[in-house]
Amino acid sequence: MRIFWRNFSRNRGAVFGMVILVGVAMLALLAPVIFPGSPWDMVGAPFMPPGEMGLLLGSDSLGRDVAAGIAHGARVSLLVGAVSTAAALLIGVTLGAVAGYFGGIVDDLVMRFTEFFQTIPSFVLAILLVAIFTPTIGSIVFAIAIVSWPPVARVVRAEFLSLRSREFVQASEVLGKSRFSIVIGDILPNTLSPIVVLSSLMVASAILLESALSFLGLGDPNLMSWGFLIGSGRSVIRLAWWMSVFPGIAIFLTVLSLNLVGEGLSDALNPRLARNRGAKP
Amino acid sequence: MTHLLEVRDLTIGLPQGADRPHAVDGISLHLDAGEILCIVGESGSGKSITANTIMGLLPRELPVLGGDILFEGERLLGLSAEALRSRRGRRMAMVFQEPMTALNPLMRVGDQIAEALAVHGRGGEARQKVPELLAAVNLPDPASIARMHPFRLSGGQRQRVMIAMALALEPALLIADEPTTALDVTTQMQILKLIREIQERRGMGVMFITHDFGVVAEIADRVAVMQYGRIVEQGPARDVLNAPQHPYTRALIAAVPHGRSTQGQAIRPAPVLEMKGVTKTYRRGGWFGAKVAVKAIHDADFVLNKGETLGLVGESGSGKSTLARCVVRLVEPEAGEILFHGEDLRPLSRQGWRPYRKRIQMVFQDPYASLNPRRKVGDAITEGPVAHGADPKEARRRAVELLELVKLDPSAIERYPHEFSGGQRQRIGLARALAMDPELLIADEPVSALDVSVQAQVLNLLAEIRQRLGLTLLFITHDLRVAAQICDRIAVMQRGAIVEQGPTASVFGAPRHGYTRALLDSIPGRSWTPPVSSELA
């Protein structure tokens, strides 16, 4: 674990990303403390520029505090990102493991099923699913999970295919272990590093997807989210730029830092690569 | 008199945190034209680094700290990259270990050789020289081989192409870095003969790097033995091989499988395992085009008696590993009977097989791939018995005993596989198999990935444990010297069939099949018998 941290911290970008990410998480956690009350409440005159009337980031067309919106929106964005990624991992890892371990006809069936999802543009499918199931946080998480599991399945399948023929897996087979315990106990732990790296990137794309859905007005109407903030500021962007710019920066920083952390993780979990990169000036 | 190549007090550093401060520590050696110098040593002894330094191929992390390399009277170390480039290929050339990756897969073989000529401004001669060169390395039909891509050639053919490339500009010095290690024994013999023949014809100086004393005996004029970056002994091949001075050389030579059988007791025929008509065919293709069927195993009947060691020998691709894997159902044959104590294992279900898992165990070839990197040694050893319902505490106590049996420290139980060397890992693999108390142990090339001295230790351990526990052993190997040493009976496989089997002494002493004879003739250093030193028992 110490070695892991040493490798991770060698990548400065990843440390920067980690700091931002912790900051966003703190903001989300402390939102009710810093901005008590609902972010939907009017707190001042509409269209106040940043800094006036005690509003750090200004107010929107209905006099709501943009800063409060961003803080509360962070909760929604991170929650959607984390839960939908977990759901996508569950689907993707299970299908990928089954396809990779059993191979043959099972592999063919699962992979054709996966490709079926990959051929549909994911954003269109997400819009369709949310529209059918009415926009709630549950349906948004479901839609994002449904469109983002195929890459996981492919990665896990590829790892399983190569690990399955390794001698330590064959040794477990010869020891008479059950298939389930070979898959869970022997192969899966060795596929963790690519899964961890991939999932950090998936959280980022889930946040983007949620923002895009909210921007189009398909967000949960009861929850303030970053995409909703940008969407509501869109029509008045020349009048009140702060309404869309600050939530935009929040999305940008969060997604960027998730990507940086993902890269750092991939370096740290793949020490040989990290050392090569470190050797270059 | 100036030597063709002279290395003086060469010292090369290692990056910090390595196991020793210098990769190569003050070595001096020389090579004359028309001579073959073998550098022998185990992995990590610095022999390849020495070769790469001479060619100027040293990675930047390894700085040259001192010493000189003189080639044709000229200092190589101070030369500019450009000056070095003009000598590489033209005056000195190198052949690498891995023929499968040393050629550009997208370029025709002839073009690659022509390129070697072109970079030194002699591209015009290519049309005429390429077929000549391919003929010089004894490749049949040079004209058509020149038009082939590397994937159509076998390992031995590729290595010949590499040698042809190295010879293209008639260099004065050829460095060969384990050029035959990745090849089968019969191919190895051909390549060794080829190098010797070309060297004699052209009067080149050859620096030949190897770990195999058999190869040394076959080809060397002079020998330098390396250990931990130092040359511990240097001299004419005959002297070093037959009267080694340094203790390390003596230990290495003592560890060479001597091919003298140590087994001798009579075996009462009590069949444990009987293979009858087992067939395995791999099919490829389908949908469009013709299906290709490769018969991996056919006509491979054998009987293994209680307490006996049967050696399954053959070259790569002969089906010996597949046959062993059929016994433990890692490969499912489509026909035949696998009788274990008279019971046919082949039609059994996965569940039906479970009781037999305890009785038949396997040791694998690659010590680096056969242990789960994320599982502690203790867990690796106990997981088998526990999966079969043993008490975890009891299994753990037994694991400690087993570690002692395979001569490892019991503290190993709490450590991860990457903390162990190859030989130690192979012992762990053996302990894992023994934890099931098997009657039949299958060892699939258990020592072929190990250095020669470690190999000897593991073989001795295996022989000792087999005696002590009364195991029946199916031993798969490509090394006939190892087989002769450890096996009671030998079965020779070729292209999926057993072509000859019988007691070790008669198979090796009076081979009946042509292929067995070819294999025996290809054992490197066959005419050399390692001296038996009494102090190293």
Side-chain angles (χ1 to χ4, degrees):
Chain A
M1 201 62 195
R2 264 220 328 275
I3 299 165
F4 170 81
W5 278 114
R6 207 172 54 223
N7 281 328
F8 184 81
S9 55
R10 198 178 294 155
N11 185 333
R12 265 183 243 141
V15 175
F16 169 77
M18 201 60 163
V19 169
I20 299 273
L21 217 53
V22 170
V24 174
M26 293 295 283
L27 184 68
L29 276 176
L30 299 177
V33 182
I34 312 173
F35 302 102
S38 167
W40 300 93
D41 288 346
M42 254 170 77
V43 291
F47 300 122
M48 277 295 124
E52 287 187 33
M53 287 183 69
L55 299 173
L56 183 64
L57 301 177
S59 67
D60 72 358
S61 50
L62 294 173
R64 293 177 294 216
D65 186 354
V66 174
I70 289 176
H72 285 268
R75 295 166 76 91
V76 177
S77 289
L78 291 187
L79 186 75
V80 168
V83 175
S84 61
T85 300
L89 283 180
L90 190 70
I91 307 172
V93 170
T94 313
L95 288 180
V98 167
Y101 183 75
F102 289 101
I105 185 98
V106 179
D107 182 29
D108 274 345
L109 287 176
V110 173
M111 285 339 277
R112 295 306 84 76
F113 180 67
T114 309
E115 276 157 18
F116 171 74
F117 277 88
Q118 285 194 301
T119 48
I120 305 173
S122 59
F123 189 52
V124 176
L125 180 60
I127 291 177
L128 189 73
L129 287 171
V130 174
I132 293 172
F133 292 110
T134 69
T136 61
I137 185 129
S139 68
I140 292 172
V141 165
F142 173 74
I144 294 177
I146 289 295
V147 301
S148 49
W149 66 265
V152 186
R154 297 203 80 101
V155 166
V156 172
R157 167 184 175 265
E159 291 285 323
F160 265 66
L161 273 182
S162 86
L163 286 167
R164 184 184 57 165
S165 55
R166 290 279 189 87
E167 286 185 342
F168 72 82
V169 176
Q170 296 188 341
S172 293
E173 198 84 45
V174 173
L175 287 175
K177 290 172 73 178
S178 68
R179 286 201 181 105
F180 183 76
S181 78
I182 290 176
V183 167
I184 299 289
D186 287 305
I187 310 183
L188 198 58
N190 285 292
T191 62
L192 275 186
S193 11
I195 294 180
V196 166
V197 173
L198 188 64
S199 53
S200 76
L201 302 178
M202 280 168 60
V203 173
S205 64
I207 289 177
L208 281 177
L209 261 175
E210 190 277 330
S211 302
L213 286 171
S214 307
F215 178 82
L216 294 178
L218 286 168
D220 191 322
N222 303 314
L223 292 170
M224 179 70 76
S225 88
W226 291 343
F228 167 80
L229 285 172
I230 299 178
S232 66
R234 168 190 51 151
S235 50
V236 290
I237 189 155
R238 283 201 274 184
L239 192 67
W241 53 268
W242 55 88
M243 279 175 60
S244 7
V245 166
F246 291 117
I249 290 176
I251 294 176
F252 168 72
L253 280 179
T254 311
V255 171
L256 175 72
S257 56
L258 278 165
N259 278 289
L260 288 172
V261 168
E263 191 181 312
L265 282 175
S266 116
D267 280 3
L269 295 171
N270 203 342
R272 210 157 53 108
L273 202 76
R275 227 169 289 135
N276 290 346
R277 220 176 269 184
K280 265 186 256 160
Chain B
M1 172 194 149
T2 54
H3 300 293
L4 173 66
L5 175 78
E6 191 172 359
V7 176
R8 279 188 205 145
D9 296 324
L10 184 69
T11 301
I12 295 164
L14 274 176
Q16 278 188 336
D19 60 334
R20 59 175 195 253
H22 299 123
V24 167
D25 195 354
I27 65 163
S28 296
L29 51 86
H30 63 88
L31 173 68
D32 290 317
E35 173 180 67
I36 297 185
L37 170 69
C38 270
I39 301 191
V40 206
E42 298 191 282
S43 47
S45 60
K47 52 194 197 304
S48 283
I49 297 215
T50 309
N52 287 345
T53 314
I54 296 167
M55 289 301 284
L57 295 174
L58 211 55
R60 231 182 304 165
E61 294 90 70
L62 305 177
V64 176
L65 299 177
D68 246 334
I69 300 175
L70 294 163
F71 176 61
E72 298 183 313
E74 212 177 0
R75 294 192 56 207
L76 281 185
L77 286 178
L79 286 182
S80 68
E82 184 53 31
L84 197 59
R85 193 188 69 79
S86 77
R87 279 161 187 77
R88 272 205 294 252
R90 200 166 57 82
R91 298 302 301 157
M92 50 193 204
M94 189 155 173
V95 178
F96 297 90
Q97 173 172 356
E98 198 43 80
M100 291 310 186
T101 54
L103 289 168
N104 181 345
L106 294 180
M107 231 171 136
R108 287 172 204 277
V109 162
D111 295 343
Q112 299 197 39
I113 300 176
E115 193 186 31
L117 288 164
V119 291
H120 290 285
R122 292 173 52 185
E125 304 164 32
R127 179 178 286 276
Q128 172 221 339
K129 276 212 84 167
V130 168
E132 261 178 45
L133 284 163
L134 289 172
V137 292
N138 302 340
L139 280 169
D141 195 2
S144 65
I145 287 220
R147 283 194 303 275
M148 285 184 188
H149 283 101
F151 73 89
R152 293 178 62 185
L153 303 180
S154 70
Q157 287 175 319
R158 289 183 209 202
Q159 201 58 295
R160 283 164 198 267
V161 171
M162 284 301 296
I163 294 173
M165 244 162 110
L167 296 177
L169 289 132
E170 298 178 11
L173 168 68
L174 179 70
I175 298 179
D177 188 358
E178 305 248 13
T180 58
T181 308
L183 303 176
D184 271 327
V185 52
T186 46
T187 323
Q188 158 165 305
M189 198 47 147
Q190 293 162 5
I191 296 285
L192 289 180
K193 282 195 175 131
L194 176 72
I195 290 179
R196 179 99 240 183
E197 178 197 317
I198 291 174
Q199 177 267 338
E200 273 169 9
R201 201 173 345 133
R202 307 201 174 192
M204 282 187 305
V206 176
M207 182 188 258
F208 195 102
I209 292 167
T210 182
H211 65 277
D212 187 340
F213 268 97
V215 171
V216 175
E218 199 63 45
I219 197 170
D221 295 315
R222 281 192 310 114
V223 184
V225 182
M226 285 190 78
Q227 182 194 22
Y228 304 135
R230 290 199 181 82
I231 291 184
V232 296
E233 181 161 1
Q234 190 167 185
R238 210 177 320 117
D239 298 356
V240 174
L241 288 173
N242 296 325
Q245 297 302 310
H246 193 275
Y248 179 69
T249 319
R250 267 185 264 171
L252 271 185
I253 289 180
V256 172
H258 45 66
R260 284 185 292 268
S261 182
T262 48
Q263 265 62 47
Q265 76 273 43
I267 308 267
R268 279 172 290 108
V272 171
L273 180 72
E274 206 170 337
M275 302 289 269
K276 275 188 193 161
V278 173
T279 314
K280 174 74 194 171
T281 314
Y282 286 106
R283 282 170 218 285
R284 185 152 59 78
W287 282 36
F288 309 109
K291 282 198 180 186
V292 184
V294 181
K295 276 201 165 183
I297 298 174
H298 58 100
D299 295 325
D301 296 2
F302 67 80
V303 178
L304 184 53
N305 290 313
K306 187 161 178 50
E308 176 185 55
T309 301
L310 175 67
L312 216 47
V313 301
E315 298 187 287
S316 54
S318 61
K320 55 191 193 304
S321 269
T322 310
L323 185 58
R325 281 171 154 72
C326 284
V327 179
V328 289
R329 205 193 177 79
L330 285 172
V331 171
E332 292 184 37
E334 67 255 17
E337 288 173 62
I338 301 169
L339 299 170
F340 182 69
H341 286 297
E343 186 136 8
D344 191 3
L345 299 181
R346 197 178 73 82
L348 291 181
S349 67
R350 199 183 163 86
Q351 268 309 313
W353 239 100
R354 257 177 80 87
Y356 294 99
R357 290 290 181 202
K358 289 189 71 141
R359 301 167 71 181
I360 308 176
Q361 273 300 308
M362 184 151 175
V363 178
F364 292 85
Q365 170 175 9
D366 184 350
Y368 293 92
S370 62
L371 294 171
N372 188 339
R374 296 192 184 242
R375 181 163 290 155
K376 284 182 185 158
V377 168
D379 299 334
I381 297 175
T382 55
E383 69 178 339
V386 170
H388 284 270
D391 173 45
K393 278 215 188 76
E394 170 63 22
R396 221 164 165 78
R397 202 185 49 69
R398 175 114 172 81
V400 174
E401 282 176 21
L402 284 166
L403 285 172
E404 277 164 3
L405 181 69
V406 298
K407 304 195 166 67
L408 281 174
D409 196 85
S411 69
I413 206 161
E414 284 301 328
R415 288 157 69 191
Y416 284 96
H418 69 87
E419 299 171 52
F420 296 91
S421 69
Q424 288 173 325
R425 286 175 196 222
Q426 210 56 310
R427 287 156 197 255
I428 297 169
L430 182 59
R432 173 177 62 189
L434 294 176
M436 303 288 275
D437 286 325
E439 290 168 54
L440 170 61
L441 187 65
I442 296 166
D444 185 5
E445 303 257 15
V447 295
S448 61
L450 305 175
D451 269 331
V452 57
S453 59
V454 183
Q455 182 177 334
Q457 291 165 10
V458 173
L459 281 178
N460 288 340
L461 178 70
L462 203 59
E464 184 192 321
I465 286 174
R466 190 186 74 94
Q467 287 275 320
R468 220 156 109 188
L469 306 179
L471 288 174
T472 308
L473 192 61
L474 180 59
F475 191 93
I476 294 130
T477 183
H478 68 278
D479 190 332
L480 279 82
R481 291 170 291 181
V482 170
Q485 190 170 331
I486 194 162
C487 301
D488 303 312
R489 283 196 306 127
I490 298 281
V492 182
M493 280 194 87
Q494 184 192 21
R495 286 188 224 111
I498 292 181
V499 294
E500 176 163 3
Q501 59 180 315
T504 305
S506 66
V507 170
F508 285 176
R512 288 193 311 274
H513 196 274
Y515 180 67
T516 315
R517 274 196 293 274
L519 276 181
L520 287 168
D521 285 341
S522 305
I523 298 178
R526 213 162 36 96
S527 51
W528 169 62
T529 317
V532 183
S533 44
S534 50
E535 65 213 272
L536 287 153

